[in-house]
Amino acid sequence: MEEKGILIVISGFSGAGKGTLVKGLLRRYDEYALSVSMTTRSPRPGEQEGVEYFFTDRERFEEVIAKGGLVEYAQYCGNYYGTPRAYVEDQLAAGKNVILEIEIQGALKVKEKFPETLLLFVTPPSVAELRRRLTDRGTEDPQVIAKRLARAAEESEGVEAYDYIVVNDKLEECVEEVHFLVAAARRAPVRRSELIREIRAELNHFAKGVQ
Ligand code: 5GP
């Protein structure tokens, strides 16, 4: 039987290396599709419209919310971020594992709407390393970095809501670990309901024949 794709949320502190991790997965395996979010934050140098994000203003974002065009949305450090619905639905229907790289409030909303979603939380090996990665990125001023670290402290309180925590130390190993966790998750009964239904129907058919 054809296996359906699953919805995967990847969250993690700003600077945890989620973006690089996801790029690694997409490069190595063609069973994944990445949802591109909509945001009101300004593009960082080098970021392209429709690649990292769909950049927009608050008015337009609120219009899309009102139309029900987002699977979820949240405010993060003063900006809106949201997941466009159409792409997610199309890719799941095409059998892809769809990755949402989103923060914790959005993750919890997705889990509520789609309980079979796999929630992964990515963290760097230490807080010192997290600070270093944020500073080395060189795209944010110290005030923004401080805000993001404060937000990380808040987010750390919600980690227990996730299915697995992945430590992003060596990138290649981390990519393999996530791929392995996804493969395992796809075998959980909660994500194999069709298979279970088919097996039960066949067994019941035979059982009836015996009576
Ligand atoms: P950044 O500004 O660093 O690109 O993203 C800030 C945070 O917003 C990150 O934790 C990122 O995962 C999260 N984020 C990005 N897109 C979305 C989205 O569509 N929905 C939600 N809830 N969070 C998002």
Side-chain angles (χ1 to χ4, degrees), residues 21-193:
L21 168 64
V22 170
K23 275 190 200 124
L25 268 178
L26 293 172
R27 213 175 19 240
R28 200 171 282 196
Y29 303 102
D30 65 6
E31 69 192 67
Y32 296 97
L34 173 65
S35 155
V36 177
S37 296
M38 198 176 209
T39 185
T40 58
R41 134 161 119 56
S42 317
R44 293 185 187 126
E47 284 186 336
Q48 286 171 280
E49 168 69 13
V51 178
E52 283 80 11
Y53 285 104
F54 297 106
F55 297 97
T56 188
D57 56 28
R58 294 186 79 84
E59 200 186 332
R60 168 86 187 114
F61 196 102
E62 284 167 1
E63 270 171 36
V64 179
I65 297 174
K67 279 197 208 133
L70 300 175
V71 174
E72 63 72 41
Y73 68 93
Q75 300 229 26
Y76 177 96
C77 296
N79 284 301
Y80 274 131
Y81 293 81
T83 305
R85 180 180 301 280
Y87 181 84
V88 171
E89 288 177 352
D90 291 351
Q91 294 297 314
L92 282 176
K96 297 277 186 183
N97 295 321
V98 179
I99 301 176
L100 311 183
E101 195 200 311
I102 63 179
E103 53 68 71
I104 189 162
Q105 301 166 62
L108 298 179
K109 279 188 225 157
V110 172
K111 184 79 180 177
E112 211 178 283
K113 276 196 197 161
F114 308 102
E116 70 287 1
T117 304
L118 176 67
L119 299 187
L120 302 179
F121 195 91
V122 184
T123 173
S126 69
V127 173
E129 175 65 14
L130 177 66
R131 278 197 70 192
R132 196 184 62 74
R133 287 186 195 172
L134 272 176
T135 316
D136 285 1
R137 186 147 78 184
T139 50
E140 264 108 3
D141 63 41
Q143 234 181 338
V144 173
I145 293 177
K147 233 181 177 181
R148 282 173 178 250
L149 282 171
R151 179 60 190 242
E154 268 174 48
E155 287 192 334
S156 70
E157 295 299 326
V159 169
E160 281 86 352
Y162 286 76
D163 295 305
Y164 298 102
I165 297 186
V166 183
V167 177
N168 185 10
D169 189 1
K170 297 200 173 74
L171 180 68
E172 291 306 305
E173 285 173 20
C174 194
V175 167
E176 287 315 306
E177 192 176 327
V178 168
H179 185 62
F180 173 82
L181 289 172
V182 171
R186 288 179 71 160
R187 275 144 194 73
V190 66
R191 300 184 188 90
R192 301 306 300 269
S193 50

